[in-house]
Amino acid sequence: MVMKASPETASGGEPARSRSRVIATAAAILAALAILLSLGTWQVERLHWKEGLLADIAERRAAAPVALADVEAIEKSSGEIEYRRVSVTGTFDHTKERHFFATFEGQTGFYVYTPMTLADGRILLVNRGFVPYEMKDPATRAAGEISGEQTVTGYARSRLAGKPSYIVPDNDLAKNIFYWKDLDAMVSSVGLDASKMVPFFVDADASVENPGGWPRGGVTQFELPNNHLQYAITWYGLAAALVVVVAGVWMRRKRPSASGQ
């Protein structure tokens, strides 16, 4: 005789499967909530970091220029030299300009990086400022190729450890067009002695006025994006929306069972 399973027996595994689905769903919801909250908290931490950085930059910009040796001491101790005011004195070698592709006040052109030989024989790459695209050739701005000992005030700028992004083009050494500030390549491409190089750049500030008006100093960009508050609100908002949706679904499922009692 063939025994037939009763409906109760046949469906005996259904409660267990239902509980498993509930547990899996709850775990997924809690994991998603944890991720959203952690992302929001991370953005709040980034907000505090960025606000501190902006405050530091504002303080450094307002400070009086210091000697290059002071900035070098900071660079060796902490590495925190970015945007520090500095005054440097030396002689430019305009035959070894390096040109960094840039835009300034809506105009396309180049920042002119020129080696400056210091009194102790070391060499510093100075971003003398912007020239329009059609003035890349130094012959078109000969008046600005100043000779003799010069004093420049500006901002210390750290070297980059590597290419900032894969979308940035490779530097074109043959055409002397740089798309990212590769200090080593700038040095080697004109045969400068790497052992004599100061390991960072200096941007000339707007107080430096060159004959003929070019290069034009004061091109340093200080505006750093600070969207972390909006990002934090977005992540926390998504977390709150998830809680509301889950609560709404739970409430709707509870109503039929309550009305059936």
Side-chain angles (χ1 to χ4, degrees), residues 215-232:
R216 181 178 171 187
V219 298
T220 306
Q221 301 295 312
F222 299 101
E223 294 76 18
L224 300 180
N226 187 13
N227 301 315
H228 300 296
L229 178 59
Q230 294 92 312
Y231 295 152

Side-chain angles (χ1 to χ4, degrees), residues 77-215:
S77 63
S78 67
E80 296 294 331
I81 65 167
E82 194 76 348
Y83 302 114
R84 291 190 183 275
R85 299 272 288 139
V86 63
S87 176
V88 295
T89 300
T91 304
F92 287 118
D93 183 354
H94 301 290
T95 66
K96 296 179 179 179
E97 286 183 356
R98 300 291 83 189
H99 302 140
F100 178 82
F101 185 78
T103 58
F104 182 66
E105 296 183 346
Q107 191 173 14
T108 302
F110 301 91
Y111 294 161
V112 177
Y113 283 80
T114 307
M116 171 185 273
T117 302
L118 308 174
D120 60 7
R122 293 184 304 144
I123 303 170
L124 170 70
L125 274 176
V126 177
N127 174 7
R128 298 185 63 214
F130 176 82
V131 296
Y133 193 89
E134 63 275 12
M135 298 181 74
K136 182 177 185 294
D137 185 350
T140 62
R141 44 184 168 82
E145 305 289 89
I146 48 181
S147 60
E149 189 174 78
Q150 305 292 327
T151 296
V152 174
T153 57
Y155 303 93
R157 303 301 308 277
S158 301
R159 65 185 299 167
L160 297 179
K163 191 176 179 180
S165 171
Y166 73 92
I167 64 174
V168 176
D170 292 329
N171 293 325
D172 190 338
L173 303 187
K175 294 183 178 179
N176 187 12
I177 298 178
F178 288 80
Y179 297 99
W180 64 280
K181 296 188 299 181
D182 186 342
L183 179 60
D184 292 337
M186 287 182 172
V187 168
S188 63
S189 61
V190 287
L192 293 171
D193 186 346
S195 67
K196 294 183 177 180
M197 298 302 303
V198 176
F200 52 85
F201 305 93
V202 167
D203 286 355
D205 62 27
S207 70
V208 179
E209 298 182 0
N210 295 303
W214 307 107

